[in-house]
């Protein structure tokens, strides 16, 4: 595995509204690009924690993963027609800044998730079971490779206080 954890930072998110599309069988990024759905969401005021990024998120509902693609917004943000939303209580996240080559599938493996969990444990963080995890595709960290062809993916795991 070639993914490296560059650093881990704790981020506190206020109560927020995640607006996007919900998926049961795994996210479909292709339809987002084909339909230019992010351009609709980018017209709204984003939650500062969202940064300049698109978000893939997952949490467990009734024992099963529920996947989302979208963005974080202030609570009570009006939801555009055709989009879903979920309101999320305020949460703390440990965000692992993961580095690997552009296009690497290693970003998205259980091995990488477990590597992050081990790192969090070594730093004294405790995962909040079955709560939110997210991938934050920040521009330019994820969209512009460095001189060695590496990009950085922000991977957040909800933690207990």
């Amino acid at each position: 595995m070639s993914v490296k954890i560059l650093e881990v930072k704790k981020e506190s998110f206020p109560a927020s509204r995640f607006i996007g599309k919900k998926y049961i069988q795994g996210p479909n990024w292709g339809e987002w690009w084909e339909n230019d759905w992010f351009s609709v969401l980018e017209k709204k005021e984003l939650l500062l924690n969202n940064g300049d990024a698109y978000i893939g998120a997952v949490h467990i509902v009734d024992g099963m993963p529920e996947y989302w693609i979208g963005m974080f917004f202030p609570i009570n943000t009006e939801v555009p027609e055709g989009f879903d939303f979920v309101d999320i209580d305020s949460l703390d996240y440990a965000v692992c800044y993961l580095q690997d080559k552009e296009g690497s599938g290693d970003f998205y493996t259980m091995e990488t998730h477990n590597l992050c969990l081990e790192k969090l444990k070594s730093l004294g963080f405790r995962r909040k079971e079955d709560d939110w995890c997210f991938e934050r595709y920040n521009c330019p960290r994820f969209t512009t490779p460095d001189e060695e062809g590496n990009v950085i993916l922000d991977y957040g795991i909800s933690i207990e206080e």
Side-chain angles (χ1 to χ4, degrees), residues 7-137:
E7 65 179 315
V8 177
K9 293 182 180 178
K10 179 181 175 184
E11 292 187 22
S12 296
F13 280 52
S16 60
R17 174 163 284 176
F18 192 89
I19 300 174
K21 303 278 183 176
K22 177 174 53 172
Y23 300 88
I24 304 303
Q25 297 298 320
N28 184 344
W29 286 91
E31 70 179 356
W32 278 79
W33 307 130
E34 291 166 15
N35 294 298
D36 198 25
W37 286 332
F38 284 114
S39 68
V40 174
L41 297 183
E42 289 172 328
K43 294 175 183 169
K44 300 211 167 271
E45 178 188 345
L46 294 168
L47 192 69
L48 291 178
N49 301 77
N50 195 95
D52 184 11
Y54 302 145
I55 307 291
V58 63
H59 70 138
I60 304 299
V61 177
D62 297 327
M64 299 298 294
E66 182 179 274
Y67 303 94
W68 287 80
I69 297 175
M71 301 172 96
F72 291 107
F73 295 89
I75 203 78
N76 297 324
T77 298
E78 185 178 325
V79 179
E81 187 175 333
F83 288 86
D84 301 314
F85 77 95
V86 59
D87 288 335
I88 302 172
D89 292 335
S90 61
L91 281 174
D92 289 330
Y93 292 90
V95 180
C96 296
Y97 290 81
L98 305 174
Q99 182 186 52
D100 201 357
K101 298 292 182 202
E102 180 181 31
S104 172
D106 286 343
F107 282 123
Y108 315 108
T109 67
M110 281 308 294
E111 188 178 358
T112 297
H113 175 77
N114 291 333
L115 177 70
C116 290
L117 290 177
E118 289 173 25
K119 182 68 172 179
L120 298 186
K121 186 176 181 181
S122 76
L123 295 172
F125 293 116
R126 207 169 64 220
R127 177 184 178 196
K128 193 169 184 184
E129 289 296 324
D130 293 342
D131 222 321
W132 290 92
C133 293
F134 67 81
E135 299 161 349
R136 185 169 52 199
Y137 298 91

